[in-house]
Amino acid sequence: MRYYETTSFRVRTLRHTFILILFYHRPLCNFDFSSSSDLNLNFPQIKAFDLNPFPGKNKSTNHHRNLQYLSGEEKMSHNDTIPLYQSSQSDIDEIENMMNDSFQSGPGTVLPARPPSPIRPSIPVSSSPFVQSNLPPLPPSSSSSTQKVMPVPAPPPLPSAGNEGNKSIGGSGFGSPPNTLTEPVWDTVKRDLSRIVSNLKLVVFPNPYREDPGKALRDWDLWGPFFFIVFLGLTLSWSASVKKSEVFAVAFALLAAGAVILTLNVLLLGGHIIFFQSLSLLGYCLFPLDVGAVICMLKDNVILKMVVVSVTLAWSSWAAYPFMSAAVNPRRKALALYPVFLMYVSVGFLIIAIN
Amino acid sequence: MMMSGGSYTNIDHQKVSGSVPAVPDPGHVTVKFADSNLQTFPPSATQGKISGGTNPPRDADDTFSRPVNGTTDEPQSSGWLHRFTVGAYKPYFDVDTSDVVERLKESLFPFRGTFTEKTANNPDLYGPFWICTTLIFVAASIGTFVTYIAHKLKKQEWNYDINLVTWSAGVFYGYVTIVPLALYVVLKYFSAPSGLVQLFCLYGYSLFVFIPALCLSVVPLEIFRWVIAGLAGFMSATFVALNLKAHINSAGERWFLIVVSIFLLQLALSVVLKLYLFTVTV
């Protein structure tokens, strides 16, 4: 039993080695199924045998194997004579293949017989060409990667240079604002208040620049007018006994819309004034009337009210006269001045009437 | 078996052919260089935009010198947006002080009927607007004064009625705006068209007579007030009627109805003013 088992093992391993060798040496033969082609292909194998560098060693190994086969079966020995030459071509390959076969076909040796054995050798044959195919594409991929790296540094320097230039220009543009931004709020408020006071002096009080609007109110603003309008509206609203909100609304509308309408009137008459400068001046001219309103709120005498309002009304009109008269054609001076006078009279009347 | 082996071999051939594209790789590289060349243009354009933005804003030259007395023709833009510019209405304010004064005098003498002829060339809107504005103030102030005096005489508390201002504004601005528009439509319907601005001008100046009438109504005599109201109404109505009669005389038989309607409407305004402003409710 033991002898039989060992012999069967040896025979199977030898057959697997034989089949593997055939496929390894001739992968193209798989496509040809004609017998004539098989016979033709046998000849190059013989030539390869002749080319072997170590003929002596090969002969010795061949002799040992021949003896084994002769002791087995006559038919098998006749068939194996041709493959013996083929196997002798590469002894080292045989050893390697035997080792591989022993690992791979371990379970196979037990299960199948002759038919399933040829199926398995095809799989390892296909693996080797995959490995070979990996080598050639590597160089072109590496070359392409190196070439791709080249254009990468080109675009960055241009936009970076542009950005730097822009930043430098922007930095120069913001030279002075940071000084103003970093100042205390009180300094800002104080500067604005001082400007309002200086403009008020130029408009309401006598000064040599009254005749020239450009010099009188060069640094015009809208804080002063807004303050005086709201202040007058609030004063009238506080002094009113009934309908306080309506009084404030009418007073504010009269003053705000009035200034706009007066400015448009001058523009329509062909005058040349700056729109907001005109609004600013008319607002500053309300200062005397504001003072009159405060006095009338404190005192409730009608006669006193009339006197105070008359004085402040004349003062406001006097303040507005040079600006408006200089803005229009002398032939239309009265047309421009009358509406201003009418507005101030209306305000004065409200101050007297509201109690 | 063999077929599967063949498929494996075919895959090998495909991989071998895969190595062939290595040849056109230099072509791709050249294309990429072209892309890098293209990228040089957008940055320059961007720089231009950014540099433009970074330029300090140029302020308009604010000339504070005295205005030029000579008239300067402002360029007028065409289109419907033109109506929203100040220049569009300048022709209607192209009057001098002497012109306005003359027209005011004309409105005080209603029996001439020559106002329309004199203002046909350059009707203005200055008079109508500021006459209405003056009327609003005078009406409110006179009405307040009258009620104040009445309350004082009877020793009762008096409070200022701010609504007089809003009411007066509604009456006068509404009358001078709506009535000429309606008349404009009617005249166009009867094939006797008239300029709309001219109608505004006519009605605006016709109300001028009410300013002295309201001032005279301060007198606390009820009969005197009715006389003043009637007289002012009659003068105003006659002024409008005669001037329109001269214009629409060619409208056929219907001109009489139009003129009578205008006359009565003007009288109605006078009555309304009298009743609301000078009816003292103590």
Side-chain angles (χ1 to χ4, degrees), chain A residues 253-311:
Chain A
L254 174 63
L255 295 168
V260 173
I261 291 168
L262 293 176
T263 305
L264 287 175
N265 182 56
V266 171
L267 291 173
L268 288 168
L269 289 172
H272 299 279
I273 55 174
I274 298 166
F275 188 82
F276 286 103
Q277 188 187 29
S278 175
L279 293 183
S280 178
L281 181 111
L282 291 171
Y284 275 109
C285 292
L286 287 175
F287 173 76
L289 287 168
D290 281 13
V291 175
V294 172
I295 296 172
C296 292
M297 182 173 67
L298 300 176
K299 303 294 182 181
D300 197 8
N301 188 350
V302 175
I303 303 299
L304 179 61
K305 279 187 174 182
M306 288 185 176
V307 172
V308 169
V309 168
S310 298
V311 171

Side-chain angles (χ1 to χ4, degrees), chain A residues 169, chain B residues 47-57:
Chain A
I169 295 169
Chain B
Q47 290 178 0
K49 292 179 180 178
I50 294 171
S51 63
T54 54
N55 288 335

